[in-house]
Amino acid sequence: MVDQSMVQKNLAKEIYKTNLFLLRGLKENTERSFRKTCCLIKKQKKHSPIIQIKNAIEIIKPYCETKSVKMKNTVTKVPVEITRKRQQLIATRFFLSAVRGKKSSFLHEKLSNELIGILNLNGNSLKICESFQKNVEVNKIFIQYRF
């Protein structure tokens, strides 16, 4: 049987390790904002905030991306599968770009609102991810050219 607190500690270490919320190297401010975000999520969702953050990131992970390939003097975008690390990186970019676009004065409020929006399936980063996946679906006919 796995201890629930141990799972949460491992997830927290993984989030810190990938520098999910690290902006411009301000580690102390980032950790403070992360703690405040966790408190806000816990108040609103009544569940473990670390697991909620992990679930939100899993929701916005893309499964494919397009790469440009030159074929007979034309450049076509070919969909290719991506690794887990690349999925995490792209999901983080979607999330942070959506957070930066929010109109709120405090970072922890922006983070918690976006995470709760993702969990409710109506966040801005989810819309960014869907448009990204639509781009992949449009170029699906070029899948035969992948390496």
Side-chain angles (χ1 to χ4, degrees), residues 115-129:
L115 285 167
I116 291 169
I118 293 169
L119 293 170
N120 294 334
L121 301 178
N122 61 2
N124 289 338
S125 56
L126 195 62
K127 293 174 187 173
I128 294 170
C129 182

Side-chain angles (χ1 to χ4, degrees), residues 3-147:
D3 186 20
Q4 190 68 16
S5 63
M6 192 64 152
V7 170
Q8 289 181 7
K9 286 180 184 177
N10 288 338
L11 288 174
K13 284 181 185 177
E14 181 181 333
I15 289 171
Y16 279 128
K17 187 174 74 176
T18 57
N19 294 329
L20 179 60
F21 299 113
L22 194 59
L23 296 172
R24 287 175 284 194
L26 305 172
K27 194 165 188 172
E28 291 177 7
N29 294 341
T30 305
E31 287 178 3
R32 192 176 312 120
S33 294
F34 180 72
R35 282 193 212 105
K36 288 180 181 178
T37 300
C38 288
C39 289
L40 288 174
I41 291 172
K42 192 169 187 175
K43 284 180 186 175
Q44 292 182 2
K45 284 291 187 179
K46 307 287 188 225
H47 294 291
S48 169
I50 301 295
I51 294 174
Q52 296 292 324
I53 291 170
K54 185 74 173 174
N55 291 340
I57 295 300
E58 287 293 323
I59 289 171
I60 60 171
K61 276 187 181 177
Y63 57 90
C64 286
E65 71 176 341
T66 57
K67 292 208 176 195
S68 298
V69 177
K70 190 170 182 178
M71 300 284 299
K72 298 181 183 176
N73 296 331
T74 59
V75 177
T76 58
K77 291 190 175 191
V78 179
V80 293
E81 293 180 13
I82 50 180
T83 62
R84 290 174 103 194
K85 241 184 199 184
R86 180 84 176 138
Q87 285 178 345
Q88 180 80 25
L89 177 71
I90 293 173
T92 305
R93 283 185 189 164
F94 292 160
F95 180 73
L96 290 178
S97 65
V99 166
R100 287 182 186 133
K102 293 261 186 199
K103 302 261 184 188
S104 179
S105 59
F106 298 112
L107 179 64
H108 63 275
E109 290 176 2
K110 292 180 189 179
L111 291 171
S112 62
N113 289 338
E114 185 61 30
L115 285 167
I116 291 169
I118 293 169
L119 293 170
N120 294 334
L121 301 178
N122 61 2
N124 289 338
S125 56
L126 195 62
K127 293 174 187 173
I128 294 170
C129 182
E130 287 174 358
S131 66
F132 186 80
Q133 291 300 330
K134 276 185 190 175
N135 187 17
V136 171
E137 291 293 323
V138 167
N139 292 311
K140 198 182 223 181
I141 58 172
F142 299 117
I143 203 162
Q144 64 211 12
Y145 299 123
R146 71 178 179 202
F147 303 131

